[in-house]
Amino acid sequence: METSDVVISVIFMSQTVVGILGNSFLVYHYLMLYFMGCRLKFTDWILQHLIVANFLTLLCKGVPHIVSAFGWKDFFNDTECKLIFYLHRIGRGVSISSTCFLSVFQAITISPKTARWTQLKVKSHSSIASCVYMSWALSFLINIAFPIKMRAIQYNKNITHQRVYEHCSSVQHDKTTDIVSAIFLTLPDVLLMLLMIWSSSYMVFILYRHKQRMKHIHRSNFSFRSSPEFRVTKTIMLLVSTFVFFYTVSCVLQINIALGHNLTFLWVNMATVVIACFPTVSPFLVISR
């Protein structure tokens, strides 16, 4: 095994182990709260969906690379390749939608108590809950092409035009089809990220306006800065900024992979490492806050 392969294998193994431990701690935390009869906030409910998506992303990408690091190559059959890639894409889709809904809900929560925002706050729980469940359904539908086109490498040795993803491969089409497919898969992510950035910018504006108001108040029995809403808002903004960074890089790499021919394993491995960064880091961001 070459030095680069060893380094990539160590990175994958570290990401997977650390990420699974962090997300498992959050699962344990929420289970303890459940058995203690504590009432969870709505943001915690959305975070639970994010944890499930994190597990799908880490397990479907990290475990195969860990197994191959020990010298076991071409161990997937067609069915396993289809399932692994399908579940990974579903986890990735739910991860970005859950983070987006988390940001939108918190922006609505800390919004001013006007008549317009009050009505929206009342409806936000049911509306965003429906959107979270719908995001699962849409992820199942949007990524349905992956179980159709993915094949195991060992069964594709006689096919000339194929795109290889280390453990699995897919048949390459003409350039127009690849461009349309890349746009179709990337567009939902772009729209959700724009919504995420808008809601986060609005939260920054709310916090900045509050800070400006507090400059003129010398004594106050209550400060928004010490409130649970403020702490949750800072946590969500930290999650969103981390998410936007990693997934922007991921989208660029995924577009390159979708449009590229004669791919090298370096590009595929880079995309996989970046994709696994947020599921690995996000539970520790939540724990630290």
Side-chain angles (χ1 to χ4, degrees):
M1 183 181 292
E2 297 182 0
T3 305
S4 59
D5 295 331
V6 174
V7 173
I8 291 294
S9 299
V10 171
I11 293 175
F12 282 135
M13 188 177 299
S14 302
Q15 278 186 317
T16 305
V17 172
V18 173
I20 289 177
L21 287 175
N23 286 281
S24 298
F25 180 84
L26 286 181
V27 171
Y28 169 78
H29 171 71
Y30 284 124
L31 284 176
M32 290 298 295
L33 292 179
Y34 173 78
F35 287 118
M36 291 171 62
C38 298
R39 184 178 179 180
L40 297 179
K41 298 185 291 291
F42 191 69
T43 50
D44 291 318
W45 179 82
I46 302 177
L47 278 172
Q48 290 171 7
H49 287 266
L50 180 60
I51 292 170
V52 176
N54 287 346
F55 273 118
L56 286 177
T57 305
L58 290 169
L59 292 175
C60 293
K61 281 297 183 182
V63 173
H65 284 86
I66 290 177
V67 174
S68 65
F70 291 96
W72 193 4
K73 303 293 184 179
D74 298 336
F75 52 90
F76 280 151
N77 57 32
D78 276 356
T79 303
E80 291 167 344
C81 274
K82 294 175 185 292
L83 185 62
I84 286 293
F85 268 79
Y86 190 39
L87 291 178
H88 171 259
R89 290 295 306 185
I90 291 172
R92 187 178 186 277
V94 174
S95 179
I96 187 171
S97 59
S98 297
T99 309
C100 177
F101 297 143
L102 198 63
S103 178
V104 171
F105 175 77
Q106 193 61 21
I108 295 173
T109 300
I110 67 171
S111 60
K113 295 182 179 180
T114 60
R116 181 183 62 181
W117 283 109
T118 300
Q119 294 179 358
L120 190 59
K121 288 180 181 183
V122 173
K123 298 178 181 179
S124 62
H125 285 76
S126 58
S127 299
I128 293 183
S130 301
C131 289
V132 170
Y133 288 123
M134 190 179 297
S135 69
W136 281 96
L138 288 176
S139 293
F140 275 95
L141 293 175
I142 291 174
N143 297 294
I144 196 64
F146 281 88
I148 297 174
K149 67 180 183 179
M150 297 307 302
R151 298 289 186 274
I153 294 178
Q154 57 186 348
Y155 299 140
N156 265 327
K157 292 180 179 179
N158 295 325
I159 297 178
T160 304
H161 301 287
Q162 62 176 331
R163 182 177 287 108
V164 180
Y165 300 93
E166 187 170 359
H167 307 293
C168 304
S169 63
S170 64
V171 179
Q172 288 187 165
H173 301 286
D174 58 278
K175 192 170 184 179
T176 303
T177 304
D178 288 340
I179 293 175
V180 172
S181 176
I183 293 174
F184 178 75
L185 292 174
T186 308
L187 185 60
D189 291 355
V190 173
L191 294 176
L192 287 171
M193 285 186 67
L194 290 176
L195 182 58
M196 197 186 308
I197 293 172
W198 172 84
S199 58
S200 300
S201 301
Y202 179 74
M203 285 192 285
V204 171
F205 170 73
I206 292 293
L207 296 179
Y208 174 77
R209 190 171 62 176
H210 168 74
K211 182 179 179 180
Q212 293 299 110
R213 287 178 177 175
M214 291 301 294
K215 288 182 179 180
H216 306 287
I217 301 176
H218 300 286
R219 296 186 62 184
S220 176
N221 294 327
F222 174 76
S223 173
F224 180 66
R225 184 177 295 275
S226 62
S227 67
E229 290 83 1
F230 182 82
R231 294 194 299 270
V232 172
T233 302
K234 289 203 299 184
T235 302
I236 293 175
M237 288 176 60
L238 186 61
L239 277 174
V240 169
S241 59
T242 306
F243 181 93
V244 170
F245 172 76
F246 284 126
Y247 273 73
T248 299
V249 178
S250 173
C251 284
V252 173
L253 294 174
Q254 289 297 326
I255 292 173
N256 179 75
I257 291 174
L259 301 180
H261 299 274
N262 301 321
L263 293 177
T264 63
F265 285 129
L266 177 61
W267 280 104
V268 178
N269 288 332
M270 283 175 59
T272 306
V273 168
V274 174
I275 288 172
C277 283
F278 180 75
T280 302
V281 174
S282 59
F284 296 99
L285 296 179
V286 176
I287 293 170
S288 66
R289 309 300 295 186

